[in-house]
Amino acid sequence: MAESAHKIGDVLLDARAVTMQFGGLTAVNEVDLQVHTGEIMGLIGPNGAGKTTFFNCLTGLYQPTSGEVRFAGEILPPKPVKVVKAGMARTFQNIRLFANMTALENVMVGAFSRTRTNAFDAIFRLPRHRREERETRARAQELLEFVGLGKAADRLSRNLPYGDQRRLEIARALATDPKLLLLDEPTAGMNPQETRQAEELIFRIRDLGLAILVIEHDMRFIFNLCDRVCCLVGGKVLVEGTAHEVQSDERVIAAYIGVPQELDLGNGDDPDEDGNNDA
């Protein structure tokens, strides 16, 4: 884990005994997880461990079969809109940008979740709508600068390099003004230089005061980045601790090279939101 003087505070996200079943398949099995303010928490595990399904339970895409998710002390309704308004935002394993919108417009979409104007204001271009649109555009440009895409504001998102598209997704998530940012495979498909840039960006986001929960398969990246790490196998928590503790745990090493049957870690399928096993 990288050295840092940042302060870790109170519990922000508190998932308790979260279970997600699809018919006879238990993809997530009584998972407990806490994320504190100012903390970077890693979520790792082999393919099919339940990581993306767990993210979907946290963010309202799935309603857990049982268990509860508390955010800032309040039970979080399993509805994406309410999750965003509560202060939680995410990116996806598969990039989900608006391909025919510019980078600036993509980020503005995220910011609109916090605006107050209604359809009547927009149709008649009332002063409040015009003012919020100016403010939203300025905020979107500011976020593009923050992630290093200031000069790409007018480019269509589909024409951006892959690494820039990943950063654009993060900018759009930040535009919702979150307290907790969930990143699903933020360095997938990146080269080493892009991965280092992603790491620096995540540290800068943390330094703004946000908590971060990140799924990642690049172990060097995750153990350098995170304050704590949780390893899922077969939908269950195998081990949780500091990055150093998890990195050196023999159970984690075994999970990546083959889990002994006597550990009885449960099912190994994790259908993600697109119906595929999560990577």
Side-chain angles (χ1 to χ4, degrees):
M1 183 184 70
E3 295 293 332
S4 175
H6 73 283
K7 181 179 179 180
I8 295 176
D10 297 331
V11 173
L12 180 62
L13 174 72
D14 188 4
R16 305 180 181 180
V18 172
T19 298
M20 188 70 221
Q21 296 176 323
F22 300 95
L25 169 67
T26 301
V28 176
N29 194 346
E30 296 188 346
V31 170
D32 294 331
L33 185 79
Q34 292 183 335
V35 181
H36 299 74
T37 58
E39 178 179 43
I40 303 178
M41 180 79 179
L43 188 61
I44 65 172
N47 291 343
K51 304 181 298 295
T52 293
T53 296
F54 182 63
F55 258 35
N56 290 343
C57 291
L58 297 179
T59 56
L61 287 176
Y62 293 161
Q63 180 171 352
T65 305
S66 61
E68 68 178 25
V69 179
R70 290 181 176 269
F71 189 75
E74 302 292 331
I75 294 179
L76 199 60
K79 295 182 179 180
V81 172
K82 292 187 176 181
V83 168
V84 171
K85 289 188 178 296
M88 192 187 306
R90 71 172 292 179
T91 64
F92 289 85
Q93 182 178 343
N94 300 315
I95 294 175
R96 295 189 176 185
L97 295 171
F98 297 102
N100 293 318
M101 287 185 178
T102 65
L104 184 70
E105 290 168 340
N106 267 275
V107 180
M108 288 178 69
V109 168
F112 284 143
S113 67
R114 294 293 182 184
T115 58
R116 297 180 179 180
T117 54
N118 53 37
F120 182 85
D121 296 329
I123 291 172
F124 292 98
R125 302 286 296 173
L126 296 184
R128 181 170 68 173
H129 169 74
R130 295 198 302 272
R131 183 182 66 253
E132 285 200 332
E133 188 172 35
R134 288 194 303 270
E135 292 172 350
T136 298
R137 183 175 294 274
R139 176 59 176 159
Q141 182 63 45
E142 183 180 285
L143 287 170
L144 286 176
E145 298 284 351
F146 178 77
V147 302
L149 295 176
K151 296 181 180 180
D154 296 327
R155 295 183 61 184
L156 292 180
S157 65
R158 68 167 184 258
N159 294 333
L160 293 175
Y162 181 82
D164 288 353
Q165 290 185 20
R166 286 283 183 189
R167 285 188 285 165
L168 178 56
E169 269 208 322
I170 292 175
R172 185 176 62 184
L174 291 174
T176 68
D177 195 22
K179 299 175 184 176
L180 172 64
L181 180 63
L182 287 77
L183 303 175
D184 194 347
E185 299 278 5
T187 68
M190 288 186 176
N191 61 41
Q193 180 180 356
E194 291 171 331
T195 297
R196 287 193 298 272
Q197 291 172 344
E199 179 181 299
E200 293 170 0
L201 175 59
I202 292 171
F203 280 134
R204 288 169 55 212
I205 293 170
R206 190 274 316 281
D207 291 342
L208 294 176
L210 276 69
I212 300 166
L213 177 60
V214 55
I215 293 173
E216 186 55 64
H217 273 101
D218 185 333
M219 293 297 97
R220 179 175 296 180
F221 173 83
I222 207 78
F223 290 127
N224 185 60
L225 183 75
C226 296
D227 300 293
R228 290 188 300 126
V229 177
C230 176
C231 180
L232 292 185
V233 175
K236 296 182 180 180
V237 175
L238 176 64
V239 62
E240 178 186 321
T242 66
H244 176 73
E245 290 169 344
V246 174
Q247 184 177 21
S248 58
D249 194 292
E250 293 183 358
R251 292 169 295 175
V252 175
I253 297 171
Y256 279 91
I257 62 176
V259 181
Q261 291 183 348
E262 59 267 23
L263 289 180
D264 189 22
L265 295 172
N267 298 309
D269 292 325
D270 179 19
D272 66 12
E273 66 274 5
D274 296 317
N276 302 312
N277 285 353
D278 82 326

